[in-house]
Amino acid sequence: MKIKLKPWIQDLPEYVAGRTIEEIKKAYNLPDVYKLASNENIFGPCDNVKEFIRNNIDDINYYPDSEYRVLKKALASKFNITSQNIIIGSGTDQIIEIICDGYISRGDGIVIADPNFLIYEKAALKCGGSAIKVPLKEFRQDVGGIVSAVNSNTKIVFIANPHNPTGTNIKEEEFKYLINKLADDILIVLDEAYFEYLSPEERINTMGYLVKKENIISLRTFSKVYGLAGLRIGYGIAYKGIISGLEKIRLPFNVSSIAHNAAVVALENDWYIEKIRDIVLKEKEKFYSILKKEGVSYVQSHANFILINCGDFGTEIVEDLLKNGFIVRPGENLGIKGFLRVTISTPEINDKFLSLFIKIYKKYIE
Ligand SMILES: *Cc1c(COP(=O)(O)O)cnc(C)c1O
């Protein structure tokens, strides 16, 4: 083919898509298939959001408000900031992409923990940059190691809090260490996709740091606890100089009007978030107690998923789960071979999963 990609795009690995429910139903002739692979909220958004979407589709012939003013206003009042501190993206994935587009040139670098959410590295490589990867320490992001890994090419440090795929969190003193040690010309991206799953005492008051420091951006999303992953909407909060730079890159109508309006209604119903968190907390305890009883090791999680140690049989166990209608994320696709990552679901589905998992686990490991 004479059409040539940019060399650094040519070298990007191909994306391995997850299996869909329909695909698995057909492949194994199963009536029920459960997708516990992408950390979505199985309960979906609250009823008020769904009802609003159903009743408010008459204006989809119009483009959305390119400034997403209503949502920005609602977020500004929730966090006691201004609309100029906020960027709205088609998922936080898009904001990560915009950040790298804005700050990474060929030869520049990012520093991240390894393994990690895959989008950070992809977004940097796409711009001709590279990633320095610092191994996790006991499943946690090694803040000291990350600081030491920074060099003169480093433009961005990404921290996921809670971290994906482990579910571990960063403590406030670690975050303080990080922002004190890193020079002010390095952007710290704090990806807080699972923020709402942290208990209030575990949360870092990100907004308090954002008003003092110009080199931090916090990313949050409506995809996870808010149950709107399919609508694609997330946001970033930072010093207004950072936001105005990113706004130059953002395309005017990057988020749909339905997503914009639904997010506003979701914010008005924050009580729902507490309800989901309580259920997930309780269900996680159930996972822990059964896994412990059966001698299965796992990582204590601060999000809505659990990383489970499958010893030498990660691939086989994931495959057997699939044949029985449970789609989970194999560790090898996440850079952590021998593990699987499972999303917390409804109490009934969790029970089904756990009894099946234990049965399969024992088949391989005794
Ligand atoms: C799910 C997830 C996101 C959010 O992605 P969206 O694009 O907002 O759907 C961001 N970061 C991490 C670590 C995630 O797991």
Side-chain angles (χ1 to χ4, degrees):
M1 191 165 64
K2 294 243 170 81
I3 307 291
K4 294 281 177 246
L5 283 164
K6 298 174 197 172
W8 62 93
I9 303 284
Q10 182 78 47
D11 293 343
L12 286 179
E14 248 161 78
Y15 178 72
V16 187
R19 316 280 298 263
T20 66
I21 292 177
E22 286 313 313
E23 196 186 337
I24 300 303
K25 273 188 184 170
K26 233 170 142 182
Y28 300 109
N29 195 22
L30 296 165
D32 298 310
V33 169
Y34 307 100
K35 184 167 173 268
L36 310 179
S38 300
N39 307 336
E40 293 118 333
N41 172 358
I42 194 87
F43 298 97
C46 82
D47 288 342
N48 298 347
V49 174
K50 283 194 266 193
E51 198 182 308
F52 178 87
I53 295 171
R54 270 189 225 106
N55 297 336
N56 288 275
I57 56 166
D58 285 344
D59 62 351
I60 54 173
N61 49 324
Y62 294 108
Y63 280 108
D65 167 19
S66 65
E67 299 295 315
Y68 303 104
R69 275 167 269 224
V70 182
L71 178 58
K72 281 189 190 170
K73 211 172 149 201
L75 289 167
S77 108
K78 176 177 164 117
F79 295 120
N80 200 17
I81 51 175
T82 75
S83 295
Q84 291 165 303
N85 298 114
I86 305 167
I87 183 167
I88 308 294
S90 176
T92 44
D93 284 0
Q94 189 182 46
I95 304 177
I96 293 166
E97 197 178 27
I98 292 175
I99 291 169
C100 286
D101 287 347
Y103 294 102
I104 302 292
S105 300
R106 287 194 79 178
D108 289 341
I110 65 169
V111 177
I112 52 177
D114 182 36
N116 216 330
F117 187 54
L118 299 169
I119 304 292
Y120 312 138
E121 184 176 10
K122 186 184 172 87
L125 293 180
K126 186 167 78 67
C127 299
S130 62
I132 295 176
K133 301 195 215 174
V134 180
L136 297 176
K137 239 186 192 166
E138 286 166 17
F139 301 103
R140 304 184 70 248
Q141 291 163 101
D142 173 11
V143 173
I146 287 173
V147 168
S148 316
V150 167
N151 63 31
S152 57
N153 295 325
T154 305
K155 292 288 187 296
I156 307 173
V157 169
F158 284 93
I159 298 286
N161 187 34
H163 175 259
N164 180 4
T166 61
T168 57
N169 70 331
I170 289 274
K171 302 216 165 73
E172 182 136 19
E173 59 266 25
E174 293 171 312
F175 184 64
K176 269 192 194 151
Y177 176 86
L178 187 79
I179 59 175
N180 290 332
K181 288 284 176 183
L182 292 180
D184 288 343
D185 60 354
I186 293 173
L187 182 65
I188 302 166
V189 180
L190 193 59
D191 180 346
E192 301 185 297
Y194 302 97
F195 177 84
E196 297 85 358
Y197 283 112
L198 289 163
S199 65
E201 16 349 310
E202 292 166 335
R203 291 178 183 172
I204 296 175
N205 175 17
T206 324
M207 300 305 151
Y209 290 97
L210 288 174
V211 296
K212 283 180 256 163
K213 299 281 286 182
E214 296 181 356
N215 63 326
I216 306 173
I217 181 163
S218 157
L219 304 180
R220 306 246 178 115
T221 185
F222 288 96
S223 297
K224 299 291 154 66
V225 76
Y226 287 97
L228 294 172
L231 282 187
R232 312 302 302 124
I233 181 162
Y235 56 98
I237 298 182
Y239 168 65
K240 64 182 193 310
I242 298 281
I243 297 297
S244 66
L246 300 177
E247 282 289 341
K248 292 184 181 180
I249 303 165
R250 184 182 67 81
L251 299 175
F253 306 117
N254 61 324
V255 169
S256 74
S257 54
I258 295 177
H260 176 208
N261 295 327
V264 173
V265 181
L267 278 184
E268 285 165 3
N269 288 274
D270 259 354
W271 57 270
Y272 182 70
I273 301 318
E274 310 300 319
K275 189 178 129 182
I276 298 297
R277 191 180 64 232
D278 286 349
I279 298 172
V280 168
L281 267 178
K282 222 159 128 195
E283 289 301 298
K284 275 195 293 191
E285 290 304 326
K286 183 168 81 190
F287 265 79
Y288 297 155
S289 86
I290 291 175
L291 293 175
K292 226 178 254 166
K293 192 174 105 222
E294 303 291 346
V296 183
S297 69
Y298 58 87
V299 181
Q300 187 96 14
S301 167
H302 297 266
N304 70 330
F305 55 82
I306 299 179
L307 194 64
I308 299 177
N309 190 343
C310 300
D312 294 331
F313 299 96
T315 314
E316 290 84 350
I317 292 175
V318 168
E319 193 59 32
D320 280 10
L321 285 167
L322 206 55
K323 285 182 192 152
N324 287 281
F326 283 87
I327 311 174
V328 300
R329 226 30 194 149
E332 63 226 63
N333 293 5
L334 301 168
I336 189 153
K337 209 168 173 296
F339 285 75
L340 68 79
R341 191 192 67 197
V342 59
T343 304
I344 305 298
S345 184
T346 64
E348 299 72 34
I349 298 173
N350 294 335
D351 289 344
K352 278 188 195 164
F353 170 82
L354 280 164
S355 64
L356 178 67
F357 171 79
I358 296 298
K359 208 167 87 196
I360 294 171
Y361 183 89
K362 286 188 168 163
K363 189 173 107 187
Y364 291 102
I365 302 168
E366 228 8 335

